[in-house]
Amino acid sequence: MLLVIHLNCAINSNFHIFFTHSLCLKQNTVYKVRNYLLKNHVAPKWMVFIFDTIIGAVAILVAYFLRFNLDYNAVKSLHIADDFILVLLTNSLFFFIFRTYQGIIRFSGFAESVRTTSALFGSFLVLMGMNVLMNVSGSPSLIPPSVLIINLLAASFFMVGYRLTVKTLYRQSLANGKDQHVVIFGGEINGSQLKTTIEQAFNNQYKVVAFIDDDQSYVGKTIDNTRIFGFHQIKEVMSNWQVKMMLFAKPDLDADTKNAVVDFCLENGIQVRNIPPVDQWIKGHLNIAQLKEINIEELLGRPAIKLRNQRVLDLVCSKRILITGAAGSIGGELARQAAAFNPALLLIVDQNETGLYELEYEIRNSFPQCNLSLFIGDVRDENAMETMFKRFRPEVVFHAAAYKHVPMMEDHPSEAVRNNVLGTRIVADLSIEHGVERFLLISTDKAINPTNVMGASKRIAEIYVQSLGNRERKVVHLNGHASNNLAERRNITKFITTRFGNVLGSN
């Protein structure tokens, strides 16, 4: 009796161990599959192939039930097991031929749908061909043609449908309510393709909520279930959807309309970007780097002025150029422009050593052929400026050094006078003394009927420079050479004043 009890316990224990081990194996298998999917984020090919095969099996069952009006007894009496296996084998063959399992389901598109339906259609043709051969030989059809047609439609619907469903769910999971609402201006240029590309290209970072167009023939229509609104409805659209970005997809938009849209977007904190024409997309796809900010030239309503002409070349090329205030935004841009013309010497001057160093580094990398020198000095220091003129002997001077901040100069009027007036006088006098050909003063529109200290100081500098330029030209030659006397050499230098308004990107 004890032996039987021990034997029974041993059997039960072994069975329990076997059952537990089997359960653990199943759980481990599930965990491995789940971990594989989480790690790779892509379903393996064999899994996609099996799922497609299962859908094909379901489709043939649906086809039989639809063909016989959902009559279970009628379908059961047909003994469709052989037909079922035949369809599965044929479908599997064409799934392998067309490689329907290679596509990443969540990225399925039109091409993937065509490949899938082509595989199903190939299977349909083979099965119909078998029916024809059976009929020719006097035997009945393997599978009723009506069932094959319904099977083709059902299988296509199921396979394409599940791919689109997975794709939609994946896109929604990525968005997670954090997508930025975007409006596209221009609804007639491949609107549907553009909308889809924008939403897919950037991992659902953007969601196109509306189109806007100034062409009334498009207003009220929809593109990919997204409505096109008129230009007069822009405020309503931006407010209702809390739009974060406006994308221009209409290259022929007139400047006035574009200016109005850009002004509205800037006032409401909405980003504005340009989308290049479709033929400029990289291999048919839009890249995030191709979304460019609106350039000021696009809002001018005219072509941008090109400065690279012969007169500019004659002024700068092969000359020794001096630029004061080069560490500032205006002086720095003058230096960059002058470096491109290959001057004999480009001398950049400022008291800001960090800004001057950064500008030198940039120019040496962008224009390695440029003969560049820098001089750290203050235009108010006459001795330093004298040393600089004697050492480098500039032929053209761009005087951009100045204090330009209106509110700060109101609090420091003496500094405005010392820098903007006395600094200009020192550099201008030295230009005459050392035979500079041209002296260009960078002034400001605030000097027009000045109402503040900064504008008044620049106006005084203008008057002084103009007075030097208006003096009677007197050049006295002694033994074929110009005299070193300042009074006798006065007016050799040509003085020019230019006023800048509000400069984009300036400090």
Side-chain angles (χ1 to χ4, degrees):
M1 184 66 179
L2 291 174
L3 180 62
V4 173
I5 292 174
H6 281 296
L7 183 60
N8 186 38
C9 290
I11 293 173
N12 289 336
S13 177
N14 289 334
F15 177 78
H16 176 72
I17 294 172
F18 173 76
F19 177 79
T20 305
H21 182 67
S22 300
L23 183 61
C24 290
L25 286 176
K26 291 180 180 179
Q27 290 178 340
N28 289 336
T29 303
V30 173
Y31 288 147
K32 287 180 180 180
V33 172
R34 188 192 68 174
N35 291 334
Y36 179 87
L37 294 176
L38 291 176
K39 180 180 178 180
N40 296 276
H41 302 290
V42 178
K45 295 179 181 179
W46 59 265
M47 185 178 293
V48 177
F49 181 83
I50 291 175
F51 202 72
D52 287 346
T53 305
I54 293 174
I55 289 179
V58 173
I60 189 64
L61 292 176
V62 170
Y64 267 106
F65 275 98
L66 290 178
R67 168 63 181 81
F68 293 97
N69 300 320
L70 304 179
D71 188 343
Y72 173 77
N73 294 324
V75 174
K76 183 179 180 182
S77 63
L78 294 175
H79 304 290
I80 63 173
D82 294 338
D83 299 345
F84 185 80
I85 294 174
L86 179 60
V87 171
L88 287 186
L89 291 175
T90 310
N91 284 345
S92 300
L93 174 63
F94 279 90
F95 291 162
F96 180 79
I97 292 174
F98 283 87
R99 300 184 183 277
T100 60
Y101 50 83
Q102 279 193 333
I104 300 177
I105 303 300
R106 65 175 181 264
F107 297 139
S108 298
F110 179 75
E112 185 70 20
S113 299
V114 169
R115 181 163 57 179
T116 302
T117 53
S118 298
L120 293 171
F121 188 71
S123 176
F124 167 78
L125 290 179
V126 169
L127 293 172
M128 288 293 288
M130 290 181 179
N131 282 343
V132 171
L133 293 177
M134 294 295 292
N135 293 333
V136 170
S137 64
S139 302
S141 299
L142 293 174
I143 304 174
S146 57
V147 173
L148 290 179
I149 294 174
I150 297 174
N151 174 68
L152 173 63
L153 298 177
S156 299
F157 175 78
F158 290 151
M159 291 187 66
V160 174
Y162 105 80
R163 281 168 164 78
L164 295 180
T165 300
V166 171
K167 176 182 177 181
T168 302
L169 293 176
Y170 173 74
R171 290 172 59 182
Q172 290 178 352
S173 67
L174 282 181
N176 197 24
K178 297 180 180 179
D179 50 354
Q180 297 186 28
H181 289 176
V182 174
V183 168
I184 297 177
F185 198 106
E188 74 277 13
I189 305 178
N190 285 329
S192 178
Q193 180 184 2
L194 187 58
K195 176 180 179 295
T196 303
T197 301
I198 291 171
E199 292 178 341
Q200 290 183 355
F202 311 117
N203 293 329
N204 280 18
Q205 180 181 353
Y206 305 118
K207 179 181 179 181
V208 179
V209 295
F211 289 88
I212 294 178
D213 207 298
D214 57 341
D215 189 342
Q216 291 299 316
S217 62
Y218 292 99
V219 176
K221 297 180 172 62
T222 61
I223 296 177
D224 194 15
N225 205 31
T226 301
R227 187 179 174 186
I228 303 175
F229 294 87
F231 176 65
H232 62 282
Q233 298 172 292
I234 184 171
K235 293 184 179 179
E236 174 187 349
V237 171
M238 299 299 186
S239 175
N240 290 345
W241 277 285
Q242 298 181 342
V243 175
K244 300 297 183 182
M245 182 181 293
M246 163 77 76
L247 299 176
F248 278 104
K250 195 169 186 178
D252 57 345
L253 186 64
D254 64 275
D256 291 338
T257 302
K258 200 165 192 176
N259 279 330
V261 175
V262 172
D263 287 344
F264 174 82
C265 291
L266 292 178
E267 291 172 1
N268 292 274
I270 300 171
Q271 298 182 47
V272 184
R273 295 288 187 273
N274 262 341
I275 293 179
V278 178
D279 57 357
Q280 295 181 14
W281 293 5
I282 302 173
K283 296 182 179 180
H285 297 284
L286 187 64
N287 187 283
I288 193 169
Q290 293 179 281
L291 297 184
K292 302 293 186 181
E293 292 186 357
I294 299 292
N295 294 324
I296 188 64
E297 291 83 355
E298 302 175 46
L299 306 178
L300 293 176
R302 60 167 174 78
I305 297 172
K306 303 297 182 182
L307 294 179
R308 194 175 185 89
N309 53 44
Q310 190 59 43
R311 297 184 66 181
V312 177
L313 284 172
D314 293 340
L315 173 65
V316 179
C317 186
S318 300
K319 297 290 181 67
R320 296 186 298 276
I321 308 298
L322 163 64
I323 300 177
T324 66
S329 51
I330 294 176
E333 185 59 29
L334 284 171
R336 296 182 192 94
Q337 297 287 338
F341 287 92
N342 194 28
L345 171 69
L346 177 59
L347 175 62
I348 53 178
V349 180
D350 206 291
Q351 60 178 330
N352 180 359
E353 61 167 336
T354 301
L356 205 60
Y357 169 78
E358 292 175 351
L359 179 63
E360 179 197 24
Y361 182 83
E362 178 185 348
I363 291 178
R364 291 197 188 281
N365 280 275
S366 301
F367 308 97
Q369 79 286 351
C370 180
N371 182 17
L372 179 67
S373 294
L374 71 158
F375 187 90
I376 299 177
D378 190 339
V379 294
R380 296 172 295 184
D381 186 344
E382 189 168 359
N383 291 330
M385 294 296 103
E386 173 76 22
T387 301
M388 179 190 66
F389 271 86
K390 287 182 178 179
R391 177 181 173 185
F392 295 100
R393 296 177 294 107
E395 297 173 278
V396 179
V397 174
F398 292 90
H399 183 56
Y403 285 141
K404 305 178 181 69
H405 290 269
V406 173
M408 292 186 66
M409 293 305 100
E410 291 297 307
D411 295 333
H412 303 83
S414 60
E415 290 301 311
V417 173
R418 288 182 61 209
N419 197 76
N420 295 355
V421 178
L422 300 182
T424 300
R425 179 189 65 80
I426 291 172
V427 178
D429 287 348
L430 288 172
S431 296
I432 295 175
E433 182 178 347
H434 292 275
V436 170
E437 297 178 7
R438 293 175 184 267
F439 179 97
L440 181 68
L441 172 64
I442 307 299
S443 188
T444 171
D445 58 351
K446 307 299 187 296
I448 305 172
N449 297 323
T451 59
N452 51 68
V453 173
M454 193 279 284
S457 64
K458 294 297 288 184
R459 180 60 184 140
I460 295 172
E462 287 183 0
I463 293 173
Y464 183 78
V465 168
Q466 289 169 352
S467 68
L468 295 179
N470 291 333
R471 288 182 183 180
E472 182 181 358
R473 182 179 300 274
K474 294 180 180 179
V475 181
V476 179
H477 291 273
L478 299 176
N479 299 324
H481 295 85
S483 171
N484 290 327
N485 187 289
L486 175 61
E488 293 176 332
R489 292 196 54 195
R490 202 179 305 278
N491 285 336
I492 290 179
T493 304
K494 183 175 182 179
F495 288 90
I496 305 165
T497 299
T498 180
R499 287 170 173 163
F500 283 11
N502 293 322
V503 179
L504 293 176
S506 69
N507 292 335

